[in-house]
Amino acid sequence: MLDVRRLTLLRELHHRGTIVEVAAALHQSPSSVSQQLTILEREVGVPLLRRTGRRLTLTPQAEILVGHTEAIVARLELAETELEESLDAAVGTVRIGIFQSAALALMPRMLVSLRDTHPFVRVEMQQREPAAALGATSIGDVDLVVAEQYPGHAAPWHAELDRVPLFADRIRLVTPRVGPLAEITAVEEAATAPWTMEPDDVASRHWAEQRCRVAGFEPDVRYETPDLQAQIDLVEAGIAVALIPDLMWLGREADVRLHGLEGDPRRQVFTATRPSVTQSPAIVACRETLISVAASLEEPSTTPGVPAA
């Protein structure tokens, strides 16, 4: 009978691409991983790896084994889920991958509530961009992801993941409260303004640039940062304008001017996990708590005398 642990190494190589990355993910040495894969080749009696330039690629026979291993891993996770369901309380560790603004607004509230209602559930949080987090969930590095997708920019699709909507988050133009940029009230009026946006490899940046281009100009992006709080600081300082989701204002006054956008665009925030763990009591507890927290969200408040547009 084939060794499941060695089959899992082959599956990891399929997903991660290199033995070095597999070793790092599993906290093993590259030589140990190579040795186990060599033993697996000997067990099956056919070549599983071939060298293409400097990289190792899987043979068709290896791909067959990977397909069966995916089913084996899913079945084992399902067995663990059923065992957890047989207990009287939700227990275990849930690894959550989440993007920055959701981590700031949702996680503290979610963890406090979970501590009171499900004290035996341990949550480990990793801040990750949605695309990376969805991929990590798919291969088992993360158990539950909180991800986003902007209008017209769908998040990477993983057919094997179970998605549940959380909420729709309004996006607004944000301008300083005082100074020359405070006169701007619409995207169309910001053609010559300095902008702050996220890096150009994420959906939010693509969406923001398209919004400006539809308005008839190419934005002057002077301040590029993935940190939305840093973007807000730049706007509050009076030196930039930005497009910011409402989630960033949760629990704080907006010391800026907020302007609604034509069409009332909203990013969709959702959770995703593997079907084999959707019924895990710990996963269910985390999802239900996130839904409860999301339902309690309120519209942002602005500095007195500075109404949202």
Side-chain angles (χ1 to χ4, degrees), residues 98-106 148 169 228 245 247-248 267:
I98 190 169
F99 60 96
Q100 185 205 31
S101 55
L104 290 171
L106 302 180
E148 63 176 354
D169 192 19
L228 294 185
L247 197 58
M248 286 302 297
R267 65 174 178 176

Side-chain angles (χ1 to χ4, degrees), residues 175-205:
T175 61
R177 191 161 61 88
V178 295
L181 299 180
E183 303 303 316
I184 296 172
T185 61
V187 172
E188 292 78 5
E189 300 170 10
T192 61
W195 284 79
T196 176
M197 292 184 182
E198 294 189 63
D200 60 9
D201 59 348
V202 296
S204 56
R205 170 66 173 268

Side-chain angles (χ1 to χ4, degrees), residues 36-286:
Q36 292 301 309
L37 290 173
T38 299
I39 294 173
L40 181 61
E41 277 191 324
R42 191 181 308 133
E43 289 176 340
V44 299
V46 296
L48 298 177
L49 305 175
R50 59 190 171 199
R51 188 164 292 281
T52 305
R54 295 185 176 183
R55 294 181 65 87
L56 286 175
T57 58
L58 275 61
T59 64
Q61 292 73 31
E63 296 285 356
I64 291 172
L65 288 177
V66 167
H68 286 287
T69 305
E70 296 283 11
I72 291 169
V73 170
R75 190 70 185 184
L76 290 173
E77 284 192 329
L78 186 59
E80 292 176 345
T81 294
E82 291 185 6
L83 284 174
E84 292 168 2
E85 287 183 291
S86 71
L87 302 176
D88 295 330
V91 298
T93 298
V94 178
R95 299 164 298 170
I96 297 180
I98 190 169
F99 60 96
Q100 185 205 31
S101 55
L104 290 171
L106 302 180
M107 287 305 292
R109 295 168 173 80
M110 178 256 199
L111 292 172
V112 168
S113 177
L114 201 65
R115 180 189 62 194
D116 296 335
T117 57
H118 301 283
F120 302 114
V121 174
R122 170 188 169 90
V123 172
E124 296 178 356
M125 187 192 81
Q126 304 172 17
Q127 184 176 314
R128 296 197 182 199
E129 287 299 319
L134 287 166
T137 306
S138 178
I139 66 176
D141 282 354
V142 173
D143 301 310
L144 180 67
V145 61
V146 180
E148 63 176 354
Q149 61 183 26
Y150 276 71
H153 291 75
W157 183 256
H158 295 267
E160 71 279 13
L161 294 182
D162 175 78
R163 293 192 181 199
V164 173
L166 267 183
F167 59 92
D169 192 19
R170 179 178 283 110
I171 308 165
R172 306 185 202 234
L173 173 67
V174 183
T175 61
R177 191 161 61 88
V178 295
L181 299 180
E183 303 303 316
I184 296 172
T185 61
V187 172
E188 292 78 5
E189 300 170 10
T192 61
W195 284 79
T196 176
M197 292 184 182
E198 294 189 63
D200 60 9
D201 59 348
V202 296
S204 56
R205 170 66 173 268
H206 299 163
W207 182 86
E209 288 180 329
Q210 286 299 311
R211 196 78 191 192
C212 293
R213 290 165 184 164
V214 168
F217 66 93
E218 189 70 21
D220 177 11
V221 184
R222 299 189 196 178
Y223 316 110
E224 184 179 284
T225 173
D227 188 336
L228 294 185
Q229 185 56 59
Q231 291 187 22
I232 292 171
D233 291 344
L234 290 167
V235 176
E236 289 180 338
I239 58 177
V241 299
L243 293 167
I244 302 289
D246 275 359
L247 197 58
M248 286 302 297
W249 310 112
L250 188 66
R252 59 170 287 176
E253 287 189 341
D255 193 20
V256 292
R257 292 182 182 271
L258 304 179
H259 309 277
L261 300 175
E262 183 179 355
D264 193 27
R266 301 178 183 226
R267 65 174 178 176
Q268 301 299 315
V269 181
F270 61 93
T271 64
T273 191
R274 297 178 298 285
S276 55
V277 298
T278 52
Q279 297 306 310
S280 163
I283 296 289
V284 171
C286 288

